[in-house]
């Protein structure tokens, strides 16, 4: 899922992701993939479906100063 986030830039880091539902055995990863875009990816390690249709995702983006 691509999320528009004003002022994020390539090189910024998604530090953590929080989901509003239990992701069971799923792993959620976030990455800045373009200017103003964060892409969230779910790796489903379970045998069943994980329904994210009506949930809230929260994430923290950091900008390194090195």
């Amino acid at each position: 899922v691509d999320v528009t986030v004003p002022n994020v830039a390539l090189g910024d880091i998604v530090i953590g992701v929080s989901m509003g539902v239990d992701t069971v055995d799923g792993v959620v990863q976030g990455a800045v993939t373009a200017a103003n875009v964060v892409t969230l990816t779910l790796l489903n390690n379970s045998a069943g479906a994980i329904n994210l249709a009506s949930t809230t995702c929260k994430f923290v983006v950091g900008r390194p100063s090195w």
Side-chain angles (χ1 to χ4, degrees):
V1 147
D2 289 336
V3 181
T4 300
V5 181
N7 301 317
V8 298
L10 289 173
D12 292 352
I13 301 168
V14 177
I15 298 170
V17 179
S18 172
M19 302 295 290
V21 296
D22 184 5
T23 57
V24 190
D25 288 327
V27 178
V28 181
Q29 174 186 349
V32 178
T33 54
N36 303 318
V37 178
V38 170
T39 300
L40 299 175
T41 305
L42 172 70
L43 173 61
N44 185 355
N45 292 316
S46 72
I50 299 175
N51 184 358
L52 302 177
S54 60
T55 190
T56 301
C57 302
K58 297 179 183 179
F59 49 90
V60 176
V61 177
R63 180 164 292 156
S65 61
W66 56 70

